[in-house]
């Protein structure tokens, strides 16, 4: 049996640039495990990123997102373009493991050298997108993939996080499941650039398509009006029309000069997202090992100290942030969401 290859960050980065599948698999595994070499590799290949077109696919569980991606991949491969697929599966809250069921539905593409598929666990991340997913996306981009699909867990309103990494966002819904009512909730209809009503043979498919269009008409949008497409992923019906709408949205972003603007905002948002995750982890460790901070939490639990005062004390001690500079940040979040919507 041949000896297992020993990777260094330099050889791994070089092999990623060449599109080596083993290197891609190894690098993404390092990223998932938080291995220090992963950061070296991502830093090394980062200048080679920025070429892949990223399509985020989101929607409630069970609507056929993976089957739809498989049908699109089949069609796109006919044009000779290469693809990457990152499917984020729900994780066990105990073991952090995932079923990785998306690999089953995408199995027809496993042997295609032009398609790289990776399932990843969400590991408790509420938005359905683990930090590792963002790094895996950069690795596939550096490997020269023309298009990368990112399929989210499908956990409801938290799916808005997919807009922070995708150039085009597909929202997949299914008739007869109450999704049209869910779509009315604040935030959901701010996500998509293209809306898909899958399982078009369902008797309520046309009704749902009309309901979604009515919902869209109520909201303020920019120059791009999200089209609604009926598909039947398993039968490959409507997939060509769907992909045409994705290409149309890409052309719109290019013609209006919005693609670069969107990507700049995405990258800035990624920096803040990762920084927030790091700060949270640091904060939890600090509180866990500091008797004084534990005392503050105990006082809150005994209702002797209110939570906001406790936050101020903890932030002052851990991050040395004066209490007068602490803000909730809710207004900033709203402004950011508004800015993002305007780029559509």
């Amino acid at each position: 049996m041949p000896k297992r290859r020993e990777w260094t960050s330099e050889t791994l980065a070089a092999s990623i640039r060449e599109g080596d599948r083993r290197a891609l698999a190894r690098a993404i595994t390092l990223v998932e495990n938080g291995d220090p070499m992963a950061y070296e590799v991502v830093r090394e290949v980062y200048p080679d990123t920025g070429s892949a077109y990223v399509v985020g696919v989101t929607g409630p569980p069970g609507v056929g997102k993976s089957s739809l991606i498989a049908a699109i991949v089949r069609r796109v491969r006919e044009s000779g373009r290469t693809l990457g697929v990152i499917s984020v599966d729900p994780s066990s809250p105990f073991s952090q493991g995932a079923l990785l069921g998306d690999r089953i539905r995408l199995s027809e593409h496993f042997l295609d050298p032009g398609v790289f598929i990776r399932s990843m666990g969400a590991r408790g991340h509420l938005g359905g997108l683990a930090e590792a997913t963002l790094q895996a996306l950069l690795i596939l981009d550096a490997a020269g993939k023309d298009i990368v699909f990112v399929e989210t867990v499908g956990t409801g309103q938290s799916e808005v996080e997919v807009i922070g990494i995708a150039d085009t966002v597909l929202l997949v819904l299914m008739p007869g499941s109450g999704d049209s009512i869910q779509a009315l909730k604040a935030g959901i209809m701010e996500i998509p650039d293209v809306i898909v009503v899958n399982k078009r043979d369902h008797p309520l498919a046309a009704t749902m398509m009309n309901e979604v269009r009515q919902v869209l008409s109520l909201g303020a949008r920019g120059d791009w009006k999200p089209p609604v497409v009926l598909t039947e992923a398993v039968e490959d019906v409507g997939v060509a029309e769907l992909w045409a709408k994705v290409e149309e949205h890409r052309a719109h972003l290019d013609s209006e000069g919005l693609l670069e603007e969107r990507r700049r905002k995405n990258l800035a948002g990624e920096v803040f997202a990762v920084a927030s995750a790091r700060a949270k982890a640091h904060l939890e460790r600090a509180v866990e090992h500091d008797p004084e901070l534990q005392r503050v939490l105990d006082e809150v639990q005994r209702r002797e100290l209110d939570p906001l005062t406790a936050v101020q004390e903890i932030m002052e001690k851990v991050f040395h942030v004066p209490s007068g500079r602490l803000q909730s940040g809710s207004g900033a979040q709203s402004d950011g969401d508004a800015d993002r919507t305007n780029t559509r």
Side-chain angles (χ1 to χ4, degrees), residues 23-74:
L24 288 173
R26 180 58 179 163
I28 294 176
T29 296
L30 292 174
V31 164
E32 281 195 287
N33 294 335
D35 192 291
M37 186 190 292
Y39 304 113
E40 298 176 16
V41 172
V42 172
R43 182 173 62 245
E44 183 74 21
V45 303
Y46 186 72
D48 302 293
T49 64
S51 298
Y53 195 81
V54 182
V55 180
V57 183
T58 188
V63 297
K65 296 190 293 293
S66 297
S67 299
L68 192 63
I69 291 173
I72 295 175
V73 168
R74 189 184 313 119

Side-chain angles (χ1 to χ4, degrees), residues 41 46 48 69 73 127 151 184 201 228 231 267 275 304:
V41 172
Y46 186 72
D48 302 293
I69 291 173
V73 168
E151 178 191 354
L184 287 167
D201 56 346
V228 184
T231 64
L267 290 172
E304 297 172 358

Side-chain angles (χ1 to χ4, degrees), residues 3 18 30 90 129 137 161 171 183 234 259 306-307 334:
K3 184 178 179 180
E18 296 171 359
L30 292 174
L129 294 175
L137 174 59
E161 191 171 292
L171 173 62
V234 176
L259 182 57
D306 69 277
S334 298

Side-chain angles (χ1 to χ4, degrees), residues 87 154 209 257 264 271 284 342:
S87 294
M209 184 172 69
R264 287 174 64 87
V271 170
E284 290 175 345
N342 290 334

Side-chain angles (χ1 to χ4, degrees), residues 236-247:
D236 198 24
V237 178
V239 176
E241 179 186 357
L242 169 60
W243 187 246
K245 294 300 182 183
V246 174
E247 297 276 36

Side-chain angles (χ1 to χ4, degrees), residues 252-282:
H252 166 74
L253 293 177
D254 282 329
S255 64
E256 298 295 324
L258 298 175
L259 182 57
E260 182 62 25
E261 179 184 349
R262 175 175 287 200
R263 288 179 170 177
R264 287 174 64 87
K265 289 182 178 179
N266 286 352
L267 290 172
E270 180 178 337
V271 170
F272 284 115
V274 174
S276 296
R278 292 280 187 271
K280 180 176 182 290
H282 174 69

Side-chain angles (χ1 to χ4, degrees), residues 189-223:
M189 296 312 291
E190 299 299 324
I191 299 173
D193 300 300
V194 179
I195 298 174
V196 187
V197 178
N198 196 26
K199 307 184 190 299
R200 62 181 292 167
D201 56 346
H202 192 284
L204 296 177
T207 300
M208 182 175 192
M209 184 172 69
N210 291 331
E211 290 176 348
V212 171
R213 284 174 173 166
Q214 290 175 6
V215 173
L216 288 174
S217 68
L218 299 175
R221 305 289 300 201
D223 295 334

